[in-house]
Amino acid sequence: MPRTRRRLAAGVSTVLVAVLAVEYAIIALQAARGRASHFNTATEFDANLFKVMGGSIVVLWVGTLVLTVLVLRTPIADAASRLAIRLGAAISLVGLALGALMFLPAGGGTVEGMVGAHSVGVPDGGPGMPVTGWSTTGGDLRIPHFIGMHALQLLPLLALLLGTLATRFRALSNGAVRARLVLVAAAGYAGLVVLVTWQALRGQPLIAPDAWTLAAAGLLAFGVAAGAADAPRRAPAPSHTRGEQVGAR
């Protein structure tokens, strides 16, 4: 990456760290006060804090967009890693944007003093899953937001895993095979983000999918499995060096 781009990336990253620090400080402050940090406009002070959080999210998204563009323009030799980082960044950007759904009527906003909600079809604060707190009685828009954002970590980790396994499995030693597998995984991951968004917007808990959701999940799983099985067959055979060709003669 050219020096000017490295400086830009470093500057944007510094801004994002500062913005996240402010947001976490507000969340901690509101938790200490026993007040909701998100969507809370019950008092002028609460509303102002939430406005700061909203502004920080906009800065976070724009900063991530800038970093994504820089990543897309950065040459990466390994095709699998290149696809994993670029597609992971793009899907993550979409995942961040999905947080805006929480401000739509489907996300709630019917409680006095609140301008949005995580849950769909049920009030926020109801029964939730362990650790995550995702609703077990209605849809939860935090799910697609969370899954989408973490494509940036999971897809590059997949590329790294495939590269490690390439020393043990001959099929994976072909860079084109690894690249196709990453492409299939990215398509499946994007499909998963669409699926859980659709499920949440219909007011359906993650742990209680209906027949339509199960059918869509089955089709998605079948497509990913078929694509993964087909990747080694479609990849071109590795080219041989001149020395290897002479030796073969």
Side-chain angles (χ1 to χ4, degrees):
M1 181 185 291
R3 182 176 298 178
T4 54
R5 293 184 189 174
R6 288 200 299 269
R7 289 177 178 173
L8 177 59
V12 171
S13 298
T14 301
V15 171
L16 295 185
V17 170
V19 165
L20 286 173
V22 170
E23 183 163 359
Y24 289 151
I26 292 175
I27 292 173
L29 173 63
Q30 290 294 72
R33 297 176 63 229
R35 307 285 292 180
S37 57
H38 289 70
F39 318 118
N40 187 1
T41 58
T43 68
E44 184 177 356
F45 184 67
D46 291 327
N48 287 333
L49 288 180
F50 185 57
K51 287 178 182 177
V52 173
M53 292 182 66
S56 70
I57 291 300
V58 173
V59 173
L60 178 64
W61 192 89
V62 172
T64 304
L65 175 61
V66 172
L67 293 178
T68 299
V69 172
L70 291 177
V71 166
L72 292 177
R73 300 182 63 182
T74 301
I76 301 173
D78 180 63
S81 297
R82 182 169 63 250
L83 284 171
I85 293 173
R86 292 178 177 180
L87 293 175
I91 296 173
S92 181
L93 198 62
V94 173
L96 278 171
L98 288 174
L101 292 175
M102 299 178 196
F103 292 95
L104 299 178
T110 58
V111 179
E112 185 178 356
M114 305 295 283
V115 295
H118 298 128
S119 302
V120 179
V122 294
D124 272 356
M129 296 173 59
V131 182
T132 63
W134 295 337
S135 177
T136 57
T137 57
D140 199 311
L141 294 168
R142 289 173 293 185
I143 299 171
H145 185 52
F146 175 87
I147 292 176
M149 286 193 302
H150 289 289
L152 185 57
Q153 292 84 35
L154 294 179
L155 289 178
L157 282 175
L158 172 63
L160 180 63
L161 176 62
L162 292 175
T164 302
L165 293 177
T167 60
R168 300 183 60 184
F169 299 94
R170 185 176 180 181
L172 294 178
S173 63
N174 189 329
V177 172
R178 297 197 304 274
R180 285 186 175 275
L181 288 173
V182 168
L183 187 60
V184 170
Y189 200 99
L192 176 62
V193 173
V194 172
L195 177 61
V196 295
T197 303
W198 178 55
Q199 182 181 15
L201 287 174
R202 291 185 294 133
Q204 189 178 117
L206 180 68
I207 59 175
D210 63 9
W212 286 107
T213 302
L214 288 175
L219 287 174
L220 179 61
F222 175 79
V224 170
D230 194 50
R233 292 196 293 268
R234 286 187 174 274
S239 59
H240 298 285
T241 64
R242 181 177 179 83
E244 291 173 332
Q245 293 173 346
V246 171
R249 292 177 184 174

